[in-house]
Structure formats: structure tokens, C-alpha cells
Amino acid sequence: MVSTNEKVKEITHIYDKIMKRILTLSGTAVINLINGLFNTSHPTNAPVFYHWTEHTDDDLNRTIADTILTIDHIYIYHMEAQMYQDDEIEFRVFDYGYKYALDNRRDPDHLIFPSPRILQLYAHKGLPDSKSITLNFGNQGTFLYTVPVFKLLEHDLAYLNDNKMIVLAPFMMLSLRDSIREKRTKENTEALHNLILNDILSLIESNRLSGDITSADAIRLQRLLYKLYQHLYAHYPEFQEGGLNDMMEDGLVLDCDIWERDITKKLTKELTEQITNKVSAETHAQDLADTVRKLYHKLHSVDQVADLLDLSVERVTEILE
């Protein structure tokens, strides 16, 4: 029998994987998320660098700092997703930040910590808006290390959309988890259907059209939606027998496959046209060069060749050199 602790670890791992996938979407999508979470204004074409650093603590347990990234070679951010109440998460964030700062020193006597943020994915009233640690350095004084908390389910889809944080939309289906776990009713079943297949999907599409996420991002978000639905809701007999699971598969998997196929065909066509145009341009340039040389061989005059072919004297000279 699986223990409660092992079950929590398994579920936490699922959300960690989903969060990691979200943080490896396009640079545009990730920078929009950073700007929304940290109230910054980085340009969406700024380079993003990831730090896939694995550390080992004193008990030989691996701690993976897989959510630390740098934008534009300067600005460092650390996001930690929280699925269950964890009274010591701020210590883990501090530990990751310290290890990152130690490993990436630009100056041997200067540590630069990432700007941290906790993403609280579950609903729990009474939790603070930030978590703090008091660092006491003896007679040098104290410092309050503070980690702000973004409470996802205290916001709605409109807020995520307005702040260009739509990549967090798959997690919004957690808002119905407790209600559906208690009892599957017609009302919450319809609410789940509308939330996923109408509200979230339409916002993903509108953000794709506006350029706030790419087409590839949209496909990956749809697939993450389906994986999260399977984890949270697909096991309920009411959804298996009532057809909701089939509707989710049609709306999130089959349509997504068709969309991906159409995008692949479009990109293939565009690439083929680019190659054809490049070959045609190169062929045209070669034919022009041959014509210039033949005319010059007969006329022995750069001016006359330029006049006949409607080219500049400089262009004809360049070809002949």
C-alpha cells in the first residue's frame, strides 16, 4: 500500500513536471509570464537562459534547481510551484538561491541571488502573501529574506489574460477540484466542461493570434491541459460513463493533432517556397553574370553593357571582377 507521504511526492512530481514544461515554452511566453509575476517589462525577444543545476545536500538527497532562469544575461528569477502546504518552502527557495549564487559568482566575494516567487497552486485560505526568513549575522545585524507568494486560484482567467500569464491557465482547472471530489453534479460537470473546452481553449487561441504565445506553445498547452485533466478528473466513473472524458479527448487531443498537422504542412510549404525562391534567385544571378560577361566579350565596353541591361556601371564592373 502506498503511504500518504509517497502519494504526496508522486502528485508533487506531476505538477513539477507540468511547471517545468511551461517554463520551457517559447521565450515570448516565458518572458510574458516573468513580466506578469514580477511586474517587470522585459522585451519578449530578450534571450532566456536556463540553469538545470542539480545539487546534493548533506543527506545525499538530490535537490534540483530547475526553475532558475536568466533574462538578457542580467536578470535572474526563481519560481517554485507549491501544490501542498509546506511550512518550510521559503528555506528551500533560499537554499536553491544560495547554491545558485555560489556556483555562478562573477566576483569571488559577491553573491547575486535570484529574485524569488512562490506559485501557490492550491486553494488555502489564511496563507500569507509572502514567506520570510530572518538571517541573523550576529553583531553585523539581521536581514529579512522575503519570498512573495502568487496565489493562483485567488485570480481568474481574465487576470491571467490581462497580464499575459495565460501559460498558467491549465492549472485553473484546480479551482473545481474540491467541489468535484466531494460530489459530481450536473452543475460542476458543466462548469468543468465550459472552463476547459470554452474558456481556457479560447484564451489560448486568442493569445496565439495576438502573438503572446506561439502556435507550438498553444499545442503544448492543450496537451498539458489534457494530461492535467486525466490526472485530476478522468478516473471518476461519472465522467467515464457520461461522455465527458470522450469530449475532452476530442477537444484536447484529436483537434490538437489536426492543428499540429496543419501547422507542420504550412511550415513545410513555407520552407519549400523559401528554398525554391533562393534557388531561383541564385539561378537568376548566375544567368545575369553569364550574360554580362558574354556582352562585354563582344562589346568591350562596360558602359554599353550597363546601358543594354539597365544596370549600373558599378554592378557590371563588380560582376566582371
Side-chain angles (χ1 to χ4, degrees):
M1 183 177 179
V2 179
S3 68
T4 302
N5 190 44
E6 289 175 337
K7 185 67 174 175
V8 168
K9 285 184 178 179
E10 178 186 342
I11 292 173
T12 301
H13 180 63
I14 291 170
Y15 290 96
D16 282 345
K17 285 184 68 175
I18 293 174
M19 193 64 205
K20 185 185 294 184
R21 299 248 176 172
I22 286 173
L23 290 173
T24 54
L25 292 172
S26 69
T28 296
V30 172
I31 291 177
N32 277 329
L33 174 62
I34 293 291
N35 286 338
L37 280 176
F38 293 88
N39 194 29
T40 52
S41 55
H42 300 296
T44 54
N45 62 349
V48 180
F49 298 93
Y50 295 87
H51 306 277
W52 307 108
T53 306
E54 187 178 74
H55 300 289
T56 304
D57 62 21
D58 293 336
D59 296 322
L60 299 183
N61 293 317
R62 289 178 175 178
T63 57
I64 303 173
D66 58 0
T67 54
I68 295 178
L69 51 86
T70 301
I71 294 178
D72 208 14
H73 307 279
I74 300 171
Y75 308 98
I76 313 162
Y77 300 97
H78 177 197
M79 289 161 287
E80 184 76 15
Q82 183 182 11
M83 188 57 214
Y84 290 99
Q85 185 171 355
D86 181 351
D87 294 332
E88 296 195 343
I89 189 170
E90 64 270 30
F91 291 95
R92 188 164 65 250
V93 171
F94 176 80
D95 185 45
Y96 285 174
Y98 170 70
K99 287 172 178 173
Y100 166 84
L102 197 62
D103 291 344
N104 294 274
R105 283 173 292 175
R106 298 169 190 169
D107 184 314
D109 300 319
H110 188 191
L111 296 181
I112 301 176
F113 278 66
S115 298
R117 193 70 92 245
I118 295 170
L119 275 68
Q120 181 188 307
L121 302 178
Y122 66 98
H124 191 290
K125 296 191 180 297
L127 285 180
D129 294 330
S130 63
K131 305 273 281 183
S132 299
I133 304 171
T134 299
L135 303 175
N136 191 327
F137 297 98
N139 59 12
Q140 295 187 52
T142 61
F143 175 80
L144 192 66
Y145 175 80
T146 301
V147 185
V149 178
F150 179 77
K151 303 173 186 179
L152 177 67
L153 298 186
E154 290 187 3
H155 303 279
D156 56 17
L157 282 170
Y159 177 90
L160 296 184
N161 187 56
D162 291 344
N163 289 276
K164 299 185 179 182
M165 299 161 62
I166 202 64
V167 295
L168 296 179
F171 292 123
M172 293 302 289
M173 73 172 76
L174 286 164
S175 61
L176 294 168
R177 183 182 62 159
D178 293 342
S179 169
I180 290 174
R181 178 191 289 160
E182 183 178 343
K183 187 178 181 180
R184 270 70 63 204
T185 66
K186 178 182 178 181
E187 290 74 20
N188 61 27
T189 299
E190 288 180 355
L192 181 63
H193 173 277
N194 291 332
L195 174 65
I196 298 173
L197 295 183
N198 295 337
D199 300 340
I200 296 179
L201 280 189
S202 65
L203 284 180
I204 289 174
E205 173 62 4
S206 66
N207 276 259
R208 183 187 73 84
L209 292 174
S210 67
D212 291 326
I213 60 173
T214 67
S215 295
D217 292 334
I219 291 172
R220 290 179 69 181
L221 286 172
Q222 278 194 224
R223 289 188 169 150
L224 290 177
L225 264 174
Y226 185 63
K227 287 181 179 179
L228 197 52
Y229 171 81
Q230 285 183 306
H231 165 66
L232 289 170
Y233 303 117
H235 62 281
Y236 290 118
E238 294 89 341
F239 297 163
Q240 295 171 0
E241 298 163 6
L244 186 61
N245 284 1
D246 292 335
M247 283 188 278
M248 290 297 167
E249 184 172 1
D250 289 344
L252 296 175
V253 179
L254 297 181
D255 287 353
C256 188
D257 289 343
I258 293 171
W259 192 12
E260 184 174 33
R261 184 190 63 201
D262 291 344
I263 290 174
T264 301
K265 287 173 64 177
K266 180 182 177 182
L267 290 175
T268 301
K269 181 181 178 182
E270 290 176 354
L271 182 60
T272 301
E273 289 176 352
Q274 289 174 8
I275 293 173
T276 301
N277 291 338
K278 181 180 179 182
V279 171
S280 298
E282 290 175 349
T283 301
H284 174 72
Q286 184 60 48
D287 289 344
L288 178 63
D290 290 343
T291 302
V292 166
R293 292 188 183 98
K294 288 177 182 178
L295 282 173
Y296 182 76
H297 181 70
K298 292 187 176 186
L299 301 173
H300 300 289
S301 170
V302 171
D303 290 336
Q304 289 184 40
V305 172
D307 186 55
L308 283 171
L309 296 178
D310 195 24
L311 296 173
S312 66
V313 171
E314 291 78 9
R315 178 67 176 130
V316 172
T317 303
E318 179 187 349
I319 292 173
L320 292 173
E321 286 179 344

